[in-house]
Amino acid sequence: MVTSHRILKLLVCSMLMAAPMSAFTGYAATEKSESTGQYVDDSVITTRVKTAIFNEKTLKTLQINVKTYQSVVQLSGFVDSAQSVKRAGEVAGNIEGVKEVKNDLLVK
């Protein structure tokens, strides 16, 4: 005899097993979403840009935020000069895999 508790337990287990699998099957990038692979690639690009900016002596102490979506890097935050805005854009643009840099940095 199958009890309602056992049915509920089987249902929950089935849902838990199916959810992760559905996240990877048939999921492709669209204009408003990324594939899992693109998300990972963008994370790598973001890390490389942040590291390069941190290693640049003139930009090291500035507050620069980096976000990447479909290989397009967006820089935001505040810097101390127009030269810093330009340099941050150059540094980000030199990273492998970056298709475009949207430089939204502001001079304070």
Side-chain angles (χ1 to χ4, degrees):
M1 176 181 236
V2 178
T3 65
S4 60
H5 182 277
R6 185 174 178 124
I7 291 173
L8 180 61
K9 188 175 180 181
L10 286 170
L11 181 62
V12 169
C13 288
S14 297
M15 288 173 47
L16 289 174
M17 294 293 288
M21 294 171 69
S22 66
F24 296 109
T25 58
Y27 188 74
T30 65
E31 191 172 315
K32 295 185 179 194
S33 68
E34 295 180 293
S35 68
T36 304
Q38 183 66 52
Y39 178 81
V40 170
D41 291 346
D42 286 346
S43 296
V44 170
I45 290 171
T46 297
T47 301
R48 288 180 179 167
V49 170
K50 286 180 178 182
T51 301
I53 286 173
F54 183 77
N55 289 334
E56 177 66 31
K57 292 177 186 178
T58 60
L59 303 173
K60 190 174 197 168
T61 61
L62 303 175
Q63 290 186 333
I64 299 174
N65 301 308
V66 180
K67 292 185 180 178
T68 307
Y69 182 73
Q70 295 185 349
S71 300
V72 176
V73 173
Q74 179 184 17
L75 303 176
S76 62
F78 297 96
V79 294
D80 57 2
S81 68
Q83 292 86 359
S84 294
V85 172
K86 182 179 177 186
R87 185 64 188 137
E90 291 169 350
V91 168
N94 287 332
I95 300 301
E96 183 180 340
V98 173
K99 290 182 183 175
E100 180 184 347
V101 177
K102 292 186 178 184
N103 196 337
D104 296 327
L105 291 169
L106 300 172
V107 178
K108 63 175 175 177

